[in-house]
Amino acid sequence: MRQYDDPVEVRRGEAEDPDQFLWRGRLWKVRAIVAHWVETGPWWQGRADDGAVADPVADPVADLVAERELWRVEAGRGEQETYGVFDLSFDWTDGRWQLVGCLD
């Protein structure tokens, strides 16, 4: 799996899963959702304004904001037989999509 950190534009389908994405000027159509999961950020590194370690019990919203949703999808381009397996990430903190991996 090659790792990337590339911004992508994603169009969601009826089930709110990725349906299409634009990566490096090319449109990819999602053929199948292989996996879907949620990752949390490094909550143990969270810091309060005074430098103390943030308390996730006292501030549960801060922990939720650090989540990102990931989809592993099989996607192809147009009528061609060109397809691949991609990891797409939606970051709830900034509302942006990224392509984070691609299986060769």
Side-chain angles (χ1 to χ4, degrees):
M1 174 80 69
R2 287 185 185 203
Q3 304 252 334
Y4 293 94
D5 192 21
D6 292 353
V8 291
E9 291 181 37
V10 174
R11 177 179 292 159
R12 292 185 182 213
E14 288 183 27
E16 293 299 314
D17 294 335
D19 187 51
Q20 299 177 355
F21 62 95
L22 186 63
W23 178 46
R24 296 184 176 174
R26 294 189 171 153
L27 182 64
W28 293 83
K29 170 79 173 132
V30 174
R31 296 178 176 184
I33 303 293
V34 178
H36 176 224
W37 69 97
V38 175
E39 291 181 351
T40 59
W43 56 266
W44 59 90
Q45 293 178 355
R47 314 264 329 147
D49 289 339
D50 62 1
V53 175
D55 180 0
V57 174
D59 190 8
V61 174
D63 189 36
L64 292 175
V65 171
E67 289 183 344
R68 71 178 186 166
E69 218 170 336
L70 289 110
W71 285 267
R72 179 162 290 160
V73 300
E74 181 180 296
R77 291 190 301 127
E79 300 283 329
Q80 302 173 7
E81 292 298 318
T82 303
Y83 71 94
V85 176
F86 302 89
D87 284 352
L88 301 172
S89 167
F90 180 74
D91 190 331
W92 287 98
T93 305
D94 57 17
R96 290 190 300 170
W97 285 91
Q98 289 184 293
L99 185 130
V100 295
C102 178
L103 189 60
D104 290 352

